[in-house]
Amino acid sequence: MKLVVNTYLSNTNELHPYLIESICRLRSMDYKPIVKITYNNSFPVNHICYINFLEVLRFYKDEDLLIAEDDLFINKNYEELKILLENKKGIVRCAYQHSPKSIKGKDGHFYIGTQLTFIAKDYINTLIEIMEKSKPQHLDLYFSKNKEILIEKIDSIGDEIEHYSNIAKGIRKGKIL
């Protein structure tokens, strides 16, 4: 199972400091993360996670995947997560936040964040086809509302590291390091 951490350069062309914290934490818990950096900041900020996610699917489509955001603070080690994901099909949301009660997804809930998502190898080509038919958008909203996607969730095994969010245009509350 491959773990890819999506990130992009800041407005000053630097990596975000919380990315280093996230990578160190992942490595300390026996993950072997690969970092994918988007150098083109010309995408609308609310599309970048969708676009990066789809690019990773296209590149690593021959193995089970974990795709993480750069603000992930993982709470379970690699072996514990492997056990939780045994025999899973489709997509599994592994780290996320719960929704405001006013927003409803296909299961009655909207889950904010895609800090860690598992995609089974046998489902990747199907997901690529579904995502290519849609226009880029907020990835968490897309997963919460798209009825075509085979998706489930486990209890969240991660938090979001507190950081400045370009989407929210402010501090996104989370784990303070």
Side-chain angles (χ1 to χ4, degrees):
M1 182 165 45
K2 179 96 49 197
L3 168 61
V4 179
V5 178
N6 275 326
T7 192
Y8 58 95
L9 296 177
S10 70
N11 293 337
T12 58
N13 280 335
E14 297 173 323
L15 291 172
H16 301 282
Y18 52 84
L19 169 67
I20 305 306
E21 299 292 338
S22 180
I23 296 299
C24 288
R25 174 85 176 162
L26 285 162
R27 286 185 178 151
S28 75
M29 299 189 78
D30 299 324
Y31 293 89
K32 294 177 175 65
I34 297 167
V35 177
K36 180 198 173 293
I37 302 170
T38 298
Y39 292 95
N40 182 349
N41 284 341
S42 65
F43 306 121
V45 293
N46 60 339
H47 295 178
I48 198 160
C49 291
Y50 186 101
I51 292 165
N52 283 345
F53 195 95
L54 186 53
E55 284 181 7
V56 169
L57 290 176
R58 289 177 183 134
F59 193 78
Y60 294 106
K61 61 183 173 184
D62 296 326
E63 52 196 305
D64 289 341
L65 273 176
L66 286 167
I67 301 179
E69 291 186 12
D70 55 6
D71 58 3
L72 170 66
F73 186 88
I74 195 77
N75 293 321
K76 288 218 182 277
N77 70 38
Y78 182 73
E79 290 303 319
E80 291 172 307
L81 181 58
K82 269 179 48 177
I83 291 167
L84 289 172
L85 295 175
E86 274 181 355
N87 302 316
K88 296 290 186 184
K89 307 282 185 220
I91 298 175
V92 180
R93 291 182 84 162
C94 301
Y96 53 88
Q97 294 80 49
H98 290 285
S99 68
K101 292 185 174 150
S102 61
I103 304 174
K104 301 291 183 208
K106 64 184 176 188
D107 69 350
H109 302 282
F110 173 65
Y111 301 96
I112 296 171
T114 50
Q115 272 67 43
L116 185 63
T117 307
F118 169 81
I119 309 94
K121 172 180 68 172
D122 296 340
Y123 192 69
I124 291 175
N125 284 328
T126 301
L127 183 58
I128 290 170
E129 288 175 24
I130 293 168
M131 289 182 76
E132 285 177 339
K133 290 189 293 186
S134 301
K135 65 180 187 173
Q137 56 195 281
H138 282 283
L139 189 59
D140 45 11
L141 178 65
Y142 182 73
F143 284 159
S144 288
K145 294 205 168 204
N146 189 308
K147 293 183 172 140
E148 212 178 338
I149 295 174
L150 176 62
I151 190 165
E152 65 177 287
K153 65 176 183 54
I154 58 174
D155 289 340
S156 185
I157 61 147
D159 296 306
E160 183 173 22
I161 297 171
E162 187 166 292
H163 66 285
Y164 178 83
S165 166
N166 286 323
I167 293 173
K169 302 287 186 237
I171 299 297
R172 177 101 59 199
K173 298 290 183 194
K175 182 91 171 165
I176 298 174
L177 303 177

